[in-house]
Amino acid sequence: MGSTVNQSPEREEFAKPESRFKSLLKRMIRNKSSLIGACILIFFLLIAAFAPFLMTHDPNSTDVLNDFQGPSSENWFGTDHNGRDIFSRIIYGTHLTLYVGTVSVAVGAVFGIVLGLLAGYYGRILDSIIMRVADVLLAFPGILLALAIVSALGPSLNNVIIALAIYNIPVFARITRGSVLEVKDVEYIQAVRALGAKDAKILFQHLLPNVSSPIIVQASLQVATSILSAAGLSFLGLGVQPPTPEWGAMLNSGRSYMWDNPHLTLFPGIALVLVVLGFNMLGDGLRDALDPRSKK
């Protein structure tokens, strides 16, 4: 009498593949540069978000009897030539600095990406026109081009954003065009085109996601450049106008007294360096994390 053995097919378990975002996040955490940069930026984002609760004084309140005071328990970073609390002015100016940098890059990226997609996909005359205009704009150093635009429009926060956005347009257009030229003739794009997909769908649903990596990296690096340019314009008196606390304007107002009272320029300068350093380190980490050649 034989016994029958019921053999059930073995169930093979496969690990669920990680999402692209989760994989990118893990790679960035392992990258010390991007981790430090992200921590610096999160620190300043929190300062900008909770600025009203962190300020110890009114940033525009003057007290001429307490001007040029050094760092103390009452005024952590000292006071300027008008007796205003430097710590509170730096805290207040954080959101201005981040706002100008991110908005100018975002506006420039939107127009630049669209122009780059059109130039790379259609080519020929349209490509020549867009790229020649971009070459003309890129022939000028960024700060000089922004200086010329702000001089024509007038000194103000919005005009600084417009000037920096105009400079950022050809940067993103050139990067996007180069990436599109590399992938527009690959098999899956040809297949989508053969199925009758419209150009708009090919551009924004198929090409753009596949060329986004260098754009993201450039955006993080470009924010640092825009912040420096905005501070430079304010330092020259063409950016945010007094008494609004902005780091570049604070450097300008304190440079006449920096030898006798170095705290007037020291603390705004350190804040500016840290923010730019944070964006640059984050950009370097993103470049390593998004580079397919570095994946194991």
Side-chain angles (χ1 to χ4, degrees):
M1 185 175 180
S3 60
T4 59
V5 179
N6 294 330
Q7 295 182 353
S8 61
E10 296 182 357
R11 298 175 60 184
E12 297 182 359
E13 296 183 357
F14 297 94
K16 185 178 179 181
E18 289 184 338
S19 65
R20 184 179 180 183
F21 174 77
K22 189 175 181 180
S23 176
L24 174 62
L25 185 60
K26 286 185 176 181
R27 293 172 59 81
M28 289 186 63
I29 292 176
R30 290 195 298 265
N31 187 295
K32 293 182 179 179
S33 175
S34 64
L35 187 60
I36 294 174
C39 290
I40 293 175
L41 295 181
I42 291 173
F43 172 74
F44 280 99
L45 286 173
L46 291 175
I47 289 178
F50 296 100
F53 306 100
L54 297 176
M55 291 186 297
T56 57
H57 297 76
D58 183 345
N60 292 323
S61 176
T62 60
D63 185 3
V64 293
L65 297 179
N66 291 312
D67 58 349
F68 298 116
Q69 296 296 313
S72 63
S73 58
E74 176 66 22
N75 304 104
W76 294 354
F77 290 173
T79 60
D80 63 7
H81 57 289
N82 288 320
R84 296 173 297 195
D85 183 64
I86 296 177
F87 174 78
S88 299
R89 291 177 64 78
I90 291 177
I91 294 297
Y92 185 89
T94 302
H95 84 276
L96 288 177
T97 299
L98 296 177
Y99 174 77
V100 172
T102 54
V103 172
S104 61
V105 170
V107 174
V110 169
F111 288 97
I113 290 171
V114 172
L115 292 175
L117 287 172
L118 296 175
Y121 184 74
Y122 291 106
R124 298 184 180 180
I125 297 178
L126 182 61
D127 181 25
S128 298
I129 294 175
I130 294 175
M131 287 299 102
R132 296 300 76 76
V133 175
D135 290 340
V136 172
L137 293 176
L138 290 174
F140 296 92
I143 186 65
L144 291 182
L145 179 62
L147 181 62
I149 296 173
V150 173
S151 298
L153 298 177
S156 71
L157 178 63
N158 291 331
N159 290 341
V160 169
I161 294 176
I162 293 173
L164 296 177
I166 291 174
Y167 172 72
N168 286 323
I169 290 175
V171 175
F172 287 98
R174 180 176 289 276
I175 292 176
T176 305
R177 171 188 176 270
S179 300
V180 169
L181 291 176
E182 293 180 357
V183 302
K184 75 171 185 176
D185 291 326
V186 297
E187 294 180 355
Y188 77 91
I189 296 295
Q190 294 179 354
V192 172
R193 191 183 297 115
L195 291 174
K198 296 182 179 180
D199 289 348
K201 183 176 181 180
I202 295 174
L203 287 172
F204 295 102
Q205 292 189 13
H206 298 283
L207 282 176
L208 182 57
N210 286 280
V211 301
S212 59
S213 295
I215 295 174
I216 294 173
V217 173
Q218 185 62 38
S220 61
L221 297 174
Q222 205 65 24
V223 171
T225 302
S226 296
I227 288 176
L228 280 177
S229 298
L233 291 173
S234 296
F235 182 83
L236 297 174
L238 295 175
V240 179
Q241 297 300 297
T244 303
E246 196 274 337
W247 296 348
M250 292 175 66
L251 291 173
N252 180 39
S253 62
R255 64 187 176 92
S256 300
Y257 316 100
M258 61 182 298
W259 297 113
D260 296 326
N261 301 277
H263 64 278
L264 270 66
T265 55
L266 176 63
F267 294 111
I270 291 176
L272 186 61
V273 169
L274 287 177
V275 168
V276 173
L277 179 64
F279 277 107
N280 283 333
M281 296 183 72
L282 180 63
D284 289 339
L286 281 172
R287 181 177 54 199
D288 295 338
L290 293 171
D291 187 359
R293 294 171 296 182
S294 65
K295 295 181 180 179
K296 296 182 181 179

